[in-house]
Amino acid sequence: MELNNITYPLVSVVVPVYNMEKYLKRCVDSILEQTYKNLEIILVDDCSNDKSEEIIDEYKKLDDRIKSIRHSKNRGLFQSRITGSEIATGKYIAFVDSDDYISVDWFRKFVRKAEETKSDIVVGEWCFDYYGKHKDYNNLDHFRLKDYCLEGKEVMDEFMAVGGRNFSWTVVWNKLYSKTLWDKVYPLVVEHSNSHGHMIMWEDIAFSSAIWAYAKKVTNVHGTNYFYSKHDGASTQSTKNKERNLKYINDAASAIKFFKSVLVNKGVFEEYKQEFDFWKKNCMSILYQDLVVTINKNVYKNLILEAFECTDEDYNEPETFFYSATTPLTQSFAHYEDLKKKIVSVKTKYVSFDIFDTLINRPFLYPSDLFNLLSEKANEQTSSYINFKAIRESAERTVRQITAQNTPSIEEITFDEIYDYIKKNYHIDNKIIDKIKEYEIELELKFCNLRKTGKELFDLAIESGKKVIICSDMYLTRDVITQILQKNGIVGYEKLYLSSDIGLTKEQKSLYAYVQKDLNCKDSSSFIHIGDNYHSDVEGSAACGWNNAHISKASDILLNYNPDIYSGEAFNKLFINSLFKEDYQDAFKGFTSVRSMLAVSANKFFDNPYISVNPFSDFNANPNMIGYAALGPHLLALCIWIHKIAKKEKIGTIHFVARDGFLVKQAFDLFNFTDVKTNYIRLSRKALVLADVENVEDIYSIYNKVTPQCPPKKLAEYLNPIIPENKKENLEKTFENHGFKYNRRLKNMVEYENCIKIFIEEIIDLNMLPAYKEKLKDYFSEMVSPGDYIFDIGYSGRPESSLSSILGFSVGSLYIHINNEIAGIRQEKYNCPSESFYQFKPVITGVIREHLLMELGPSTVGYEEKDGKLVPKFEEYKTEYCSKFITRIIQESALQFIKDYNYYFSNFKLMYNFQNQVVSAPYEYYLHYSKEFDRKIFSTLPFEDDLGEGVGKSINGLDFWNKELSSRNLTVGYVGSSGPSILPDLYMDGYFVKFYNKMNKIFPKGGRAREVVKKVVAIFTK
């Protein structure tokens, strides 16, 4: 099928049907209403005994795209999908369950992506529909958070790494498949179906394991939804029927065995053996939780363990992280759906678009911010500062007033008129003015970039065969506007109507009448106009009888200027109605750079204004937003601060200390426009405990380097380089003879001092120290030179003082902050120059601040000798998938902010002029005042600090963070909170939250049990 030179391949949509008369019409209607029309709809009736067959017959008469086939006996969902695929003739194939439904633009976006990228699988977003009463989506779903383009081996690597933690990867219904891929796996799934027979549960695991194993390329799309229906009749709902539960166990175990056979047949089982083992145990744990823990039926325990070839020890509470944050789908999404329906409606003949902030975005909160860059250009040739922005704004305002007075019939001025006025009324060389005029056009062309949502709607209109026109109130010339549109792929429209050409404006409503007359169309209702300005685009077009849609400016959404769409309070509370003692509000007004950072973030996250943000969040628990809009600007401020000091102090090399300097080094390397070199140096408190030790008295300095409570075994690790080999074998016995448990933490200072005394008198040999320190000197001398600096988060001057002691010359330091006077004492002792980004210690300095900047890899615990040289020795590194996944997104997004900001502004000094603390404010807001919903993305973060509070004990990073906040009363009633501080003690201790989460698990939202509980509670609370 071809329309407007665009190819639309056939998509086969398979819909298995079994006793779904209540939901079937909703499902089929959603497919028939698709903006994408080249569909083959295959309804597979799995021997229904309700009215499903009659409904199918009715639809076949209504639309010849519908085919049907009926099983002679019930064969299950798995076989029904296979049956449908056997008669599918499309280039692509998709599956929609008959109790579910899809958003109106679902297949068009899928096919576009598949065709553009040659993907075997395209994955879409989805949300729950609870009994038709409310809808919500999982904020942390992989395919909402990331843009995937997996190729070759990456496909199976990612699939296996997920380990079944998120069923978005395994369900069949949220994807479009190439028929070529389906045909490859068809023999495998048929063989499994024939051998296993009827499947009612876990059939998706069987399908998906084969499909992912053979896929060569996988991508995904955003902005549409598959609506997964939760209702009493759903196959996943019941666990009360014993026969059904036994089949549940059998189906699941069979699916996992099939999964293994796929890996074996592909010859990759050994490669993915560890990942498969996690998959198997995770799936087993889900059944165990459903059938043993939840409904307390121990009768199923041994059956499950036997079926999965597991033991009790293999059971872990199923990971629910990717389902832990949900957000209601607000009415704004329905508005977006309605807009698309209006565009493709047969009643619509013309689709009109505004340009700026609708089809095109600029990295400015206010259009006039661009004029500040004109001032920068103007002052290149003057001896004092000229505020050309003020001149430019005044000239435009005056020309408009003169035109309105002298020629009221002309509603718009032109670009030439503005600059002609400046030439006539200001004593500035005309050559300079001409250069600035050309420069303004150059900047418009540079900064005007595509608004993806506007382009998506534009493409939809074109592909639907509508006549597309563009109407804009703009003083720029037709030639410039045309270049801007072409640069951004806005082509194929019928006509371009500019107020600067015609002299009429949308604001005065006269441009709409002119357009309608020019097109010789008397039916106003056949027009729909789409724009960001509510007055001129919505009210203006409505006054002329046109249909319309408001697509809010991205920055208006960020700053919550649209009362119908909530987007979080952070940026508003910081910069618009600031409640902080620091004057961020005036900084917002006074620095173009600050506003542009907000604009760049707004364009990134609110390009689609029809967004649903959780009302109890500021960042929607979105690691992309936290990274890009909060951490990213902070990183940029750090980079500029480092750059200025490096230039001032003429630093040769900056050594970013592993692991905390990891992300800052990457950011600085992206930003670095100077000759300063960078290095990633392996240092740690653990590794340099002995660096500044000279004699026996110095052993007591360990007190300031490690926690006195650590066990003797840990102290022995730090002192290992000066412990003779013959003493190492009997260390444990030595301490036991003195009444110490070797692995037990020391209780108090008396024990610590006695423990150190044992080391000094019976174990260590200081004669070994010079040789060890000489090796350290040789190791670091190859990297560090006089005049070099290190960068670290903080805190107490250990790294630079240790290096200075080893190398014999002073090493400078750059810290985000310091904790106490010890840093200054150390720096003065070794004459180490030092600078701090903050001149104060933030409240949140530990776990989370370090983690977000940290390399996701092992820390250096010391140095060992290899081939006569020292090399870093690393601790065992245990990865935790969920927190690693979230952290990587945050870090990648923060670096992307640096790239994007540099892309726009790398040539403009003005745009790197700001106050560091102001630019870092969104990041500090997240660390100190974020809402619980936004912090919970770190609920799985493990944190081990064997030199600090954790003392060798792995603790939860979120709990540690919350404890820090609670100690300063920051978890409740935080600055900028719009809600009351209720139940503070329960909330701070986490009991209320834990109880609430537990109740949600036992009585899921939308479930019948929850409704019963609510009614019972209501009786006793009247």
Side-chain angles (χ1 to χ4, degrees):
M1 181 178 178
E2 193 170 288
L3 179 64
N4 297 332
N5 298 317
I6 300 171
T7 301
Y8 297 87
L10 181 66
V11 176
S12 298
V13 186
V14 176
V15 183
V17 182
Y18 179 67
N19 289 348
M20 282 295 158
E21 62 177 344
K22 185 176 179 180
Y23 304 100
L24 183 55
K25 288 185 178 181
R26 182 183 66 179
C27 173
V28 177
D29 285 344
S30 74
I31 300 172
L32 295 177
E33 290 174 358
Q34 287 292 295
T35 60
Y36 192 86
K37 300 302 181 183
N38 196 19
L39 304 174
E40 173 186 60
I41 304 162
I42 303 170
L43 306 177
V44 182
D45 185 357
D46 192 26
C47 200
S48 299
N49 52 31
D50 64 354
K51 294 182 179 180
S52 294
E53 186 177 13
E54 296 176 23
I55 295 171
I56 291 172
D57 289 339
E58 289 175 12
Y59 273 103
K60 285 176 68 177
K61 295 174 184 176
L62 291 174
D63 198 308
D64 60 9
R65 294 178 295 171
I66 295 178
K67 299 178 181 179
S68 71
I69 187 170
R70 181 176 169 86
H71 286 161
S72 57
K73 63 177 183 179
N74 181 257
R75 302 174 68 183
L77 182 59
F78 187 80
Q79 182 56 54
S80 295
R81 288 172 175 164
I82 293 174
T83 298
S85 73
E86 288 172 342
I87 62 172
T89 61
K91 182 178 180 180
Y92 298 99
I93 186 168
F95 301 90
V96 180
D97 288 351
S98 53
D99 51 345
D100 301 335
Y101 58 105
I102 52 180
S103 58
V104 70
D105 210 20
W106 180 256
F107 286 119
R108 188 185 71 91
K109 296 194 73 171
F110 270 127
V111 174
R112 263 185 156 270
K113 186 65 133 182
E115 290 288 288
E116 289 169 0
T117 61
K118 308 302 178 189
S119 297
D120 292 318
I121 304 174
V122 181
V123 190
E125 297 174 345
W126 62 276
C127 67
F128 283 117
D129 181 318
Y130 292 95
Y131 296 84
K133 295 180 179 179
H134 72 274
K135 307 174 182 69
D136 62 33
Y137 66 85
N138 289 332
N139 296 64
L140 303 178
D141 188 272
H142 287 76
F143 299 106
R144 280 189 183 269
L145 294 182
K146 290 193 68 172
D147 294 320
Y148 282 97
C149 184
L150 305 172
E151 295 189 71
K153 191 174 181 299
E154 293 175 331
V155 174
M156 204 56 180
D157 284 349
E158 286 287 328
F159 180 75
M160 294 303 296
V162 172
R165 294 176 175 90
N166 180 3
F167 66 70
S168 284
W169 290 76
T170 53
V171 291
V172 172
W173 38 256
N174 63 341
K175 303 172 181 73
L176 181 77
Y177 310 93
S178 73
K179 188 60 164 47
T180 302
L181 171 64
W182 180 262
D183 290 342
K184 285 182 183 177
V185 303
Y186 171 78
L188 297 175
V189 296
V190 168
E191 181 181 351
H192 176 67
S193 178
N194 291 338
S195 62
H196 179 75
H198 187 287
M199 287 191 80
I200 60 169
M201 301 289 284
W202 288 57
E203 70 289 335
D204 284 345
I205 292 284
F207 271 121
S208 294
S209 58
I211 290 171
W212 283 88
Y214 285 86
K216 294 180 180 178
K217 188 168 186 179
V218 178
T219 56
N220 64 314
V221 295
H222 304 288
T224 57
N225 274 304
Y226 182 104
F227 294 95
Y228 179 56
S229 183
K230 301 285 281 184
H231 56 84
D232 294 336
S235 62
T236 55
Q237 291 294 104
S238 175
T239 54
K240 296 180 181 179
N241 185 292
K242 182 177 180 180
E243 182 180 348
R244 184 182 183 84
N245 290 340
L246 292 175
K247 180 147 184 59
Y248 180 17
I249 296 169
N250 185 41
D251 285 354
S254 177
I256 292 298
K257 288 176 182 176
F258 175 70
F259 188 174
K260 180 178 180 179
S261 72
V262 170
L263 297 177
V264 171
N265 290 336
K266 284 282 291 182
V268 295
F269 178 73
E270 290 302 319
E271 179 182 354
Y272 295 117
K273 190 175 187 303
Q274 185 175 349
E275 289 85 351
F276 174 77
D277 193 49
F278 182 90
W279 267 91
K280 183 177 75 169
K281 290 176 182 178
N282 189 51
C283 292
M284 179 276 294
S285 295
I286 292 173
L287 263 73
Y288 197 103
Q289 179 75 20
D290 285 351
L291 302 181
V292 179
V293 178
T294 302
I295 64 173
N296 196 25
K297 294 289 186 181
N298 280 312
V299 66
Y300 298 120
K301 175 181 173 181
N302 291 333
L303 293 174
I304 293 171
L305 297 177
E306 183 180 346
F308 281 85
E309 300 175 348
C310 290
T311 67
D312 274 336
E313 294 179 355
D314 294 323
Y315 170 74
N316 285 301
E317 188 171 333
E319 294 192 25
T320 59
F321 173 78
F322 291 102
Y323 319 120
S324 63
T326 61
T327 291
L329 200 66
T330 62
Q331 193 62 29
S332 59
F333 182 81
H335 293 328
Y336 194 34
E337 289 284 282
D338 290 341
L339 170 54
K340 290 181 176 180
K341 290 176 182 178
K342 287 179 182 177
I343 289 174
V344 301
S345 169
V346 294
K347 296 180 180 178
T348 300
K349 185 176 180 181
Y350 293 98
V351 182
S352 170
F353 288 91
D354 173 48
I355 298 178
F356 292 96
D357 299 315
T358 301
L359 292 174
I360 297 297
N361 270 331
R362 288 178 283 193
F364 302 108
L365 275 191
Y366 309 131
S368 60
D369 280 344
L370 181 141
F371 301 157
N372 282 316
L373 302 183
L374 300 182
S375 293
E376 189 174 40
K377 185 73 171 179
N379 285 286
E380 289 177 357
Q381 303 179 54
T382 60
S383 58
S384 63
Y385 179 77
I386 297 174
N387 187 348
F388 190 81
K389 177 189 177 185
I391 294 173
R392 172 66 176 78
E393 289 179 314
S394 177
E396 180 177 339
R397 186 166 52 249
T398 304
V399 172
R400 290 189 183 280
Q401 291 171 352
I402 293 171
T403 302
Q405 291 172 2
N406 297 341
T407 53
S409 60
I410 298 177
E411 299 171 4
E412 183 63 281
I413 63 174
T414 68
F415 190 61
D416 290 338
E417 288 171 342
I418 296 170
Y419 274 90
D420 287 344
Y421 179 86
I422 296 174
K423 285 182 178 181
K424 292 175 183 178
N425 292 278
Y426 292 86
H427 294 285
I428 302 175
D429 191 315
N430 284 352
K431 291 181 180 179
I432 294 177
I433 295 175
D434 286 338
K435 285 183 179 180
I436 296 174
K437 179 181 178 182
E438 291 175 8
Y439 190 56
E440 181 174 344
I441 294 172
E442 181 184 326
L443 292 183
E444 289 285 10
L445 291 170
K446 173 182 174 62
F447 290 126
C448 287
N449 287 281
L450 189 66
R451 184 171 188 179
K452 294 178 181 178
T453 302
K455 180 61 159 57
E456 179 181 310
L457 296 172
F458 180 90
D459 289 341
L460 174 61
I462 294 286
E463 292 171 25
S464 300
K466 306 302 179 182
K467 294 181 179 179
V468 176
I469 58 176
I470 296 177
C471 299
S472 179
D473 288 350
M474 173 48 61
Y475 50 73
L476 290 173
T477 65
R478 173 175 288 272
D479 177 61
V480 173
I481 295 296
T482 301
Q483 288 183 62
I484 290 171
L485 295 173
Q486 288 178 341
K487 168 197 167 186
N488 291 286
I490 308 293
V491 295
Y493 52 87
E494 298 273 326
K495 284 193 173 184
L496 172 62
Y497 295 96
L498 294 177
S499 59
S500 56
D501 266 358
I502 301 165
L504 303 174
T505 64
K506 293 182 296 178
E507 184 179 17
Q508 298 298 324
K509 306 178 182 65
S510 52
L511 183 58
Y512 295 110
Y514 176 90
V515 169
Q516 194 167 336
K517 183 178 180 181
D518 183 66
L519 294 173
N520 194 27
C521 180
K522 296 181 180 180
D523 184 7
S524 300
S525 65
S526 66
F527 288 84
I528 181 171
H529 178 71
I530 302 167
D532 72 286
N533 188 297
Y534 195 83
H535 170 66
S536 62
D537 289 314
V538 178
E539 294 179 336
S541 61
C544 297
W546 290 23
N547 296 306
N548 53 71
H550 186 216
I551 177 169
S552 290
K553 183 179 178 181
S555 58
D556 285 352
I557 301 297
L558 176 76
L559 299 172
N560 269 318
Y561 286 170
N562 187 325
D564 296 326
I565 302 175
Y566 176 78
S567 62
E569 295 179 300
F571 301 102
N572 194 295
K573 296 299 183 185
L574 281 170
F575 298 115
I576 306 303
N577 300 308
S578 180
L579 298 179
F580 288 76
K581 63 181 181 181
E582 296 86 2
D583 197 350
Y584 296 137
Q585 191 165 343
D586 269 8
F588 170 82
K589 295 175 182 176
F591 288 86
T592 310
S593 54
V594 173
R595 293 193 299 275
S596 285
M597 287 185 197
L598 291 173
V600 169
S601 295
N603 291 346
K604 176 81 169 180
F605 293 100
F606 301 111
D607 180 286
N608 183 345
Y610 302 99
I611 191 168
S612 300
V613 172
N614 192 288
F616 299 104
S617 77
D618 287 319
F619 298 91
N620 207 35
N622 185 345
N624 288 290
M625 191 173 189
I626 293 165
Y628 195 93
L631 179 56
H634 176 61
L635 277 182
L636 182 62
L638 283 171
C639 289
I640 294 172
W641 172 72
I642 294 170
H643 162 73
K644 288 179 179 178
I645 295 174
K647 186 176 179 181
K648 176 185 174 184
E649 302 297 332
K650 298 180 181 178
I651 299 172
T653 302
I654 300 173
H655 303 273
F656 292 84
V657 176
R659 299 178 289 169
D660 295 351
F662 171 77
L663 192 65
V664 181
K665 180 187 185 300
Q666 291 193 61
F668 187 75
D669 287 344
L670 289 173
F671 170 82
N672 189 8
F673 307 125
T674 67
D675 294 331
V676 64
K677 296 178 182 178
T678 64
N679 178 46
Y680 192 54
I681 191 168
R682 294 286 178 181
L683 295 176
S684 72
R685 294 174 294 173
K686 304 173 186 178
L688 295 178
V689 164
L690 293 172
D692 57 355
V693 171
E694 298 289 343
N695 49 53
V696 68
E697 290 84 2
D698 291 332
I699 296 298
Y700 288 97
S701 70
I702 293 174
Y703 173 79
N704 294 317
K705 301 171 185 175
V706 304
T707 176
Q709 287 79 35
C710 67
K713 180 180 179 182
K714 187 61 65 175
L715 287 172
E717 291 178 10
Y718 304 141
L719 296 171
N720 181 66
I722 56 174
I723 299 176
E725 290 297 326
N726 63 338
K727 298 288 183 71
K728 292 179 180 178
E729 297 177 0
N730 299 310
L731 284 175
E732 185 170 359
K733 187 175 181 181
T734 299
F735 281 97
E736 286 180 354
N737 289 340
H738 287 277
F740 286 95
K741 292 290 184 182
Y742 193 52
N743 290 308
R744 181 180 64 80
R745 294 175 59 181
L746 301 173
K747 294 180 180 179
N748 49 49
M749 279 300 298
V750 174
E751 284 199 352
Y752 169 76
E753 290 166 355
N754 288 334
C755 188
I756 291 296
K757 186 177 180 182
I758 295 168
F759 274 108
I760 293 174
E761 294 179 351
E762 301 183 32
I763 299 173
I764 64 172
D765 181 359
L766 286 179
N767 293 320
M768 299 172 66
L769 189 59
Y772 174 68
K773 293 183 75 171
E774 191 63 32
K775 290 174 183 176
L776 281 177
K777 182 176 181 179
D778 291 342
Y779 173 71
F780 286 111
S781 293
E782 294 181 1
M783 292 178 275
V784 184
S785 302
D788 287 358
Y789 276 59
I790 65 161
F791 171 87
D792 202 353
I793 291 180
Y795 304 99
S796 303
R798 291 189 190 99
E800 67 270 34
S801 60
S802 297
L803 283 176
S804 298
S805 174
I806 293 167
L807 295 169
F809 56 79
S810 62
V811 177
S813 61
L814 303 172
Y815 283 154
I816 293 179
H817 64 90
I818 60 175
N819 279 358
N820 51 50
E821 63 189 12
I822 293 177
I825 293 170
R826 288 187 173 124
Q827 289 158 359
E828 184 175 352
K829 180 178 177 66
Y830 292 99
N831 194 29
C832 301
S834 182
E835 298 279 353
S836 291
F837 181 77
Y838 289 137
Q839 300 306 309
F840 57 88
K841 175 187 175 296
V843 172
I844 303 302
T845 61
V847 180
I848 196 67
R849 187 184 294 273
E850 291 178 357
H851 179 76
L852 290 177
L853 299 178
M854 186 183 291
E855 175 189 6
L856 298 177
S859 66
T860 307
V861 293
Y863 305 94
E864 56 188 351
E865 195 169 338
K866 285 187 179 180
D867 300 326
K869 290 187 176 183
L870 290 187
V871 295
K873 181 181 178 182
F874 301 104
E875 69 179 354
E876 181 183 357
Y877 180 60
K878 298 177 181 178
T879 60
E880 198 291 313
Y881 177 86
C882 298
S883 61
K884 188 175 181 180
F885 172 78
I886 292 297
T887 305
R888 276 184 172 167
I889 292 177
I890 291 176
Q891 293 182 342
E892 289 167 2
S893 296
L895 294 175
Q896 189 60 51
F897 174 84
I898 302 283
K899 294 175 186 176
D900 291 349
Y901 195 81
N902 285 346
Y903 167 78
Y904 286 119
F905 302 119
S906 60
N907 295 322
F908 304 96
K909 293 179 182 178
L910 174 72
M911 303 308 286
Y912 295 91
N913 177 25
F914 48 72
Q915 297 161 315
N916 293 334
Q917 191 171 336
V918 174
V919 172
S920 296
Y923 181 57
E924 297 303 333
Y925 181 98
Y926 177 67
L927 293 182
H928 292 87
Y929 304 112
S930 56
K931 296 174 182 175
E932 191 268 342
F933 188 81
D934 294 320
R935 294 196 304 275
K936 72 193 300 182
I937 62 175
F938 291 104
S939 61
T940 66
L941 172 64
F943 177 73
E944 188 168 320
D945 180 11
D946 53 19
L947 296 180
E949 189 166 337
V951 193
K953 180 183 178 183
S954 196
I955 60 176
N956 182 281
L958 178 59
D959 289 343
F960 191 97
W961 184 9
N962 285 338
K963 184 178 179 181
E964 288 184 293
L965 292 171
S966 180
S967 70
R968 302 298 183 92
N969 294 322
L970 294 175
T971 51
V972 178
Y974 57 86
V975 176
S977 171
S978 60
S981 302
I982 56 173
L983 301 175
D985 294 330
L986 285 175
Y987 189 96
M988 286 182 185
D989 291 340
Y991 297 127
F992 177 77
V993 174
K994 290 177 182 177
F995 174 77
Y996 179 76
N997 290 337
K998 186 71 174 177
M999 290 301 99
N1000 278 340
K1001 286 183 179 180
I1002 298 173
F1003 306 109
K1005 293 179 181 180
R1008 291 183 67 186
R1010 191 182 184 95
E1011 296 302 315
V1012 171
V1013 170
K1014 286 167 67 176
K1015 290 178 181 178
V1016 172
V1017 171
I1019 293 172
F1020 290 98
T1021 55
K1022 283 184 178 180

